[in-house]
Amino acid sequence: MVDRLNYRIEVTGPVEGRSAEILTPAALDFLAKLDNTFAGRRRELLDARRVRREELQSGEKPLGFLPETRRIRDDESWHVAPTAPGLEDRRVEITGPTDRKMTVNALNSGAKVWLADFEDATSPTWHNVIDGQLNLFDAIRRNIDFTTEAGKHYTIGDDPATIVARPRGWHLVEKHIRIDGRPVSASLVDFGLFFFHNARQLLARGVGPYFYLPKLENHLEARLWNDVFLLAQRELGVPRGTIRATVLIETITAAFEMDEILYELREHAAGLNAGRWDYIFSMIKNFAAHGADFVLPDRAQVTMTVPFMRAYTELLVQTCHKRGAHAIGGMAAFIPSKDPEINATALEKVRADKEREAGDGFDGSWVAHPGLVPVCREVFDSVLGGWPNQLGKLRDDVEVTAEDLLDVASAGGEVTEAGVRANINVALRYVDAWLRGTGAAAIHNLMEDAATAEIARCQIWQWIRNGTKLEDGTALTRELAVEFLDDELASVRAELGESNRLGDAYEIFTETALGEKLPSFLTTGAYARYLTDAR
């Protein structure tokens, strides 16, 4: 605990080993400056989120493009800042948590960018949060290596990927750092520690402090981030506009404000990204009470080619390129298998997905495993040729209406017992892994993260609420879902054995998928206990 003239900073997590290199008095003072300045605005914006969600759920105020910001959308004269060094070519981006092994492998993967993820791919134990900062600190200084259990030694190569850090969203707090007794914004902890320790070092290496911003719901939240950037740069004497940020458009409300989000961040903006699972989760969360027209089929059937998803991605490319920003495609989550038939089928789907994105004008795309980098790179190489991006492809042919973005019924498809069971099975496995400290979990040949748990269990909730019928005509009731849940729990428990957190995973699933309300699994009692106790 450190007392200052006007406030008290308390670190309640253990400060052991090299943690003190990150949690220096100066770094904590910097966090306090950020949080004290912006805590009130952050709270107001989170309250506004809740009000807007209630309006959408009730139908009181329909969702559409904002009339009050039409001048921003119609004004073709403004553009975002010029592309920053190290971000000119983003044809392949690899994502993953900030543990030491992933840090070395991602930087050596051949991808152009590594999304160093403190958010959905990281289980936010105190150890993971601080260890991740240490790993990035070492990587930026080219002072990191990794040795496997078999004794194979890895170090960073000569041409590592550009690091783009993703802090946690505005809705989360870091309970292990408190100012005057209140927990600090997790967004500001992740951003602030990374920026404080690495901004000058990155500039000395010819790049800069770059970030992915998750879970934004409107342009006012982007404005808050922009003001954070301005203050951070001023406090450390870093030139204004040094920071670059790519925003994930992973909420339905943000999809209606893409121009406005880029406008608010324009001197710091690098681009937008199409985040699939959280976007679908947002659609269900906001419109689940609107009846059958908003009921989605099995999640495996909600591909990026269904009309309402296609409208979203094409609008994203058009908006980005009109403003000089990069458009980055969605995740290829497949993990290469030892089974050649599984590999062949999955890689064919990955290739088709990346060909669609490259053909639509995306400047690059995400993969979750180094084994997918060559496939993604080959596809974008064939389209880009000698160009680093497709910013010149303006997509003037695209016309997307509010009705197009909200046309969930266009997805078609069906809900099957296999799809219900798959959602339950994956949610149990993922939450179990997450509670044991693993935020990116390999499940059924896919790399799953927190967005997986959200979409998997909220679909169950939606289907129960709507009495959705399965392929045999049976309505999915809470009682039937519990029957499936008990079956899947027994199956997973038999496979994983006793060293697991499946009891808590079961509790979280029951609370967030089978109750009257649809909370995030991050707001459950089991999660709260975990976050407080996590070491």
Side-chain angles (χ1 to χ4, degrees):
M1 184 170 64
V2 180
D3 287 306
R4 296 290 186 258
L5 289 177
N6 299 314
Y7 51 85
R8 182 183 64 179
I9 308 172
E10 183 180 13
V11 177
T12 61
V15 182
E16 302 168 338
R18 294 183 60 204
S19 298
E21 295 178 39
I22 297 299
L23 299 166
T24 64
L28 292 174
D29 280 342
F30 181 67
L31 290 184
K33 178 72 172 181
L34 295 177
D35 200 69
N36 284 334
T37 302
F38 298 111
R41 277 178 62 189
R42 170 183 169 271
R43 185 69 263 165
E44 290 172 359
L45 288 170
L46 292 178
D47 288 342
R49 278 188 183 184
R50 175 183 51 77
V51 171
R52 186 68 181 114
R53 188 173 307 125
E54 290 172 354
E55 291 174 341
L56 292 174
Q57 289 171 345
S58 68
E60 175 185 342
K61 188 176 179 182
L63 186 58
F65 296 100
L66 300 177
E68 62 267 32
T69 56
R70 182 170 182 171
R71 60 175 182 80
I72 293 173
R73 297 192 299 276
D74 290 347
D75 183 355
E76 298 185 2
S77 67
W78 65 268
H79 295 81
V80 302
T83 304
L87 293 179
E88 300 92 344
D89 187 334
R90 304 175 64 174
R91 69 188 67 197
V92 188
E93 300 192 353
I94 190 168
T95 72
T98 53
D99 62 84
R100 205 163 188 85
K101 179 180 179 181
M102 182 65 193
T103 298
V104 175
N105 287 342
L107 292 174
N108 288 341
S109 66
K112 295 292 186 179
V113 166
W114 172 39
L115 189 163
D117 195 7
F118 287 97
E119 201 227 5
D120 276 358
T122 291
S123 175
T125 65
W126 177 241
H127 169 79
N128 286 349
V129 169
I130 301 304
D131 188 60
Q133 292 284 348
L134 279 165
N135 290 333
L136 296 184
F137 182 95
D138 289 345
I140 288 164
R141 289 156 181 80
R142 303 294 192 270
N143 186 33
I144 191 170
D145 57 11
F146 177 78
T147 302
T148 68
E149 293 181 358
K152 192 169 184 179
H153 189 70
Y154 294 89
T155 58
I156 298 178
D158 295 331
D159 187 25
T162 298
I163 294 174
V164 180
R166 177 162 70 165
R168 284 167 285 176
W170 281 129
H171 58 300
L172 298 175
V173 294
E174 177 50 69
K175 290 191 175 182
H176 297 93
I177 300 179
R178 294 176 176 270
I179 297 175
D180 294 335
R182 60 175 170 78
V184 174
S185 159
S187 301
L188 297 181
V189 169
D190 299 339
F191 162 79
L193 292 176
F194 179 83
F195 185 82
F196 180 86
H197 289 294
N198 302 308
R200 294 191 187 93
Q201 185 72 25
L202 287 163
L203 289 172
R205 290 192 172 275
V207 288
Y210 305 142
F211 299 91
Y212 258 105
L213 305 181
K215 307 294 189 288
L216 267 64
E217 297 200 6
N218 58 63
H219 70 285
L220 297 180
E221 295 179 11
R223 182 182 297 173
L224 176 57
W225 267 118
N226 197 69
D227 288 344
V228 169
F229 296 160
L230 291 173
L231 178 60
Q233 290 165 144
R234 186 167 65 248
E235 285 291 308
L236 295 192
V238 172
R240 177 169 172 158
T242 295
I243 293 171
R244 289 292 191 278
T246 303
V247 176
L248 291 108
I249 302 299
E250 51 188 347
T251 65
I252 182 58
T253 51
F256 282 86
E257 300 183 34
M258 288 191 266
D259 267 308
E260 294 89 333
I261 287 169
L262 288 175
Y263 183 82
E264 295 293 346
L265 287 162
R266 58 194 182 280
E267 65 179 312
H268 298 111
L272 303 176
N273 168 274
R276 175 185 177 187
W277 291 134
D278 274 309
Y279 187 77
I280 299 170
F281 167 57
S282 172
M283 187 75 79
I284 296 173
K285 181 172 63 175
N286 285 293
F287 296 103
H290 287 236
D293 284 346
F294 283 86
V295 173
L296 287 160
D298 289 355
R299 76 178 181 120
Q301 298 176 35
V302 189
T303 67
M304 300 301 276
T305 61
V306 301
F308 82 96
M309 294 296 286
R310 188 112 175 93
Y312 146 67
T313 56
E314 290 199 309
L315 180 62
L316 187 146
V317 173
Q318 181 192 58
T319 303
C320 283
H321 289 182
K322 179 171 62 176
R323 306 303 181 184
H326 287 96
I328 307 301
M331 172 73 78
F334 175 66
I335 301 172
S337 167
K338 295 180 180 179
D339 185 324
E341 290 187 12
I342 292 176
N343 263 2
T345 301
L347 289 176
E348 183 179 345
K349 291 180 180 179
V350 170
R351 181 178 295 277
D353 188 52
K354 300 312 171 190
E355 287 175 345
R356 173 191 54 78
E357 289 179 331
D360 283 348
F362 279 96
D363 301 290
S365 191
W366 282 7
V367 299
H369 191 279
L372 299 185
V373 170
V375 177
C376 186
R377 184 174 57 218
E378 180 184 337
V379 169
F380 276 88
D381 283 351
S382 67
V383 172
L384 292 173
W387 294 93
N389 52 62
Q390 298 195 79
L391 289 175
K393 190 168 184 175
L394 298 180
R395 294 305 310 270
D396 292 331
D397 58 305
V398 171
E399 293 184 12
V400 172
T401 66
E403 291 73 21
D404 295 329
L405 291 173
L406 296 173
D407 187 14
V408 173
S410 66
E414 62 180 359
V415 179
T416 68
E417 178 179 332
V420 174
R421 287 183 177 275
N423 275 11
I424 294 171
N425 186 286
V426 170
L428 287 174
R429 289 174 184 271
Y430 178 77
V431 176
D432 164 67
W434 189 89
L435 290 169
R436 289 187 286 121
T438 298
I443 301 173
H444 304 321
N445 294 315
L446 294 175
M447 188 66 75
E448 307 284 14
D449 67 12
T452 299
E454 295 288 47
I455 182 64
R457 57 94 192 167
C458 80
Q459 279 200 299
I460 302 293
W461 185 91
Q462 184 186 38
W463 293 334
I464 292 172
R465 292 275 293 184
N466 284 274
T468 301
K469 292 185 178 180
L470 306 182
E471 73 274 28
D472 65 356
T474 302
L476 182 64
T477 62
R478 187 184 189 281
E479 291 71 27
L480 184 57
V482 169
E483 181 182 323
F484 292 161
L485 175 59
D486 289 341
D487 288 346
E488 296 303 319
L489 176 67
S491 173
V492 176
R493 179 165 276 156
E495 180 181 332
L496 297 184
E498 294 302 318
S499 180
N500 59 61
R501 296 290 299 275
L502 285 169
D504 283 332
Y506 184 97
E507 177 186 335
I508 287 174
F509 187 91
T510 300
E511 183 176 342
T512 63
L514 305 183
E516 285 299 311
K517 295 183 178 180
L518 180 60
S520 166
F521 89 87
L522 300 178
T523 65
T524 62
Y527 167 72
R529 292 194 300 276
Y530 161 77
L531 186 63
T532 301
D533 297 339
R535 291 291 183 264

